[in-house]
Amino acid sequence: MSTIVAPSLLSADFANLRKDLEMINRSEADWLHLDIMDGVFVPNISFGFPVLKYVAEYCTKPLDVHLMIVEPEKFLDRFKDLGAAFYNVHYEACTHLNRTIYEIKNRGMKAAVTLNPSTPVCMLRDVISDLDMVLVMTVNPGFGGQRFIEHSIDKVRELSRLIEETGSDALIEVDGGVNFETAPRLVKAGVNVLVSGSTVFKADDPENVIRTLKQL
Ligand code: DX5
Ligand code: ZN
C-alpha cells in the first residue's frame, strides 16, 4: 500500500481558498485533513461550519476531520451531514470513548482516535480493535508549522506493535512537523497516513510535494 497523504487545510491561503481547493482536487492527495479548534481544548480557534460547508461542496477528496475540541460527540450529526469520511476525536476529550466510537460508526463514518504527545499508546489497548485509525500527534495540537517531537517515532513503533498483536485493522496517521526529513522515518516506523500543512501549502509546487510524499 502506498502512503496516504492528507494535506491539512490549516496552512492554506484563506483569501484564495478556492484556488487551494482546486489544487487539492487536481493533486494526488488522498484525503483533505480539516483541523477544528475551539479555543478551549487547544489555545487556538480555526474555522467553523460556514467555511466547512464551502470546503465540503468544492473538495472532491474524502474529508478527514480532526476535532481539537471538548465534547466532540456534540457535532457528530453536523459532520455526518457535511459528508465527513473520518471523525477523529482526541482521547483526552472523551470521557466515554467506547460510546463515542460506536456513535461515529453508527453514523457510517470511520472512527479515529487522536493521542496528544503526552498520552501513551497503552491507553488505547481496550478500543484498538474497534478503530479505523489512530492519529499520533507529533506536535502539541493547536498550530501549524511547529517542530516535530522526536519521541513520536518510538510511539509509532509501539502503536504498530499493538495493532499487530491485537489484529486490529487501524491505520496509523501522524500530524505535525511532517516534512521531507521526518516523513521517511515515520513511514519506516509504520505510518500509513501523513498529514502535512506547511510543507505542502508553503511550497512553490505543492502538487509535487504531495506526489513525493506519496512515494515514501
Ligand atoms: C495542528 C494540526 C495540524 C497542522 C499541521 O494542531 O492538527 O494538522 O495543520 O501543520 P504542520 O504540518 O505545518 O505541522
Ligand atoms: Zn490535524
Side-chain angles (χ1 to χ4, degrees):
M1 186 176 74
S2 83
T3 307
I4 294 169
V5 174
S8 161
L9 197 70
L10 194 64
S11 293
D13 176 359
F14 283 87
N16 289 295
L17 196 51
R18 190 162 173 166
K19 186 169 154 271
D20 278 350
L21 287 172
E22 279 164 3
M23 181 281 289
I24 293 293
N25 289 347
R26 262 194 329 266
S27 78
E28 290 176 32
D30 297 277
W31 309 336
L32 179 64
H33 182 85
L34 298 172
D35 291 299
I36 314 302
M37 304 180 188
D38 65 354
V40 179
F41 183 73
V42 287
N44 198 8
I45 294 175
S46 57
F47 39 81
F49 288 107
V51 175
L52 289 165
K53 185 176 167 284
Y54 178 86
V55 171
E57 244 171 65
Y58 277 86
C59 186
T60 56
K61 310 278 175 167
L63 304 177
D64 173 30
V65 179
H66 176 195
L67 294 138
M68 285 162 273
I69 64 173
V70 296
E71 301 180 41
E73 60 284 349
K74 265 191 187 166
F75 296 103
L76 281 160
D77 288 325
R78 300 287 300 272
F79 280 98
K80 154 92 188 133
D81 292 347
L82 212 64
F86 278 88
Y87 198 83
N88 227 311
V89 296
H90 266 261
Y91 170 84
E92 305 81 10
C94 296
T95 309
H96 300 289
L97 185 60
N98 180 283
R99 177 186 293 148
T100 304
I101 291 167
Y102 279 94
E103 290 192 346
I104 299 171
K105 291 179 140 185
N106 285 342
R107 285 167 175 80
M109 294 183 284
K110 302 250 189 210
V113 173
T114 307
L115 296 178
N116 271 339
S118 59
T119 304
V121 166
C122 61
M123 303 312 275
L124 294 183
R125 180 165 280 278
D126 290 355
V127 292
I128 193 75
S129 307
D130 301 319
L131 292 178
D132 296 298
M133 186 163 74
V134 176
L135 167 51
V136 175
M137 283 310 297
T138 42
V139 298
N140 283 294
F143 303 91
Q146 299 183 84
R147 197 194 169 120
F148 180 79
I149 296 173
E150 202 49 47
H151 171 64
S152 314
I153 302 271
D154 287 338
K155 213 162 157 177
V156 167
R157 283 200 198 103
E158 196 183 333
L159 177 59
S160 226
R161 279 197 298 273
L162 178 66
I163 288 172
E164 209 181 294
E165 262 169 51
T166 54
S168 159
D169 295 324
L171 295 170
I172 303 179
E173 180 177 48
V174 284
D175 184 8
V178 171
N179 56 38
F180 290 121
E181 193 274 316
T182 55
R185 294 194 287 129
L186 286 161
V187 171
K188 198 164 166 232
V191 166
N192 311 106
V193 186
L194 296 168
V195 173
S196 181
S198 43
T199 301
V200 168
F201 285 99
K202 306 295 178 213
D204 292 335
D205 186 352
E207 284 178 69
N208 192 39
V209 171
I210 293 168
R211 194 174 309 122
T212 310
L213 289 173
K214 272 200 69 65
Q215 284 160 2
L216 294 176

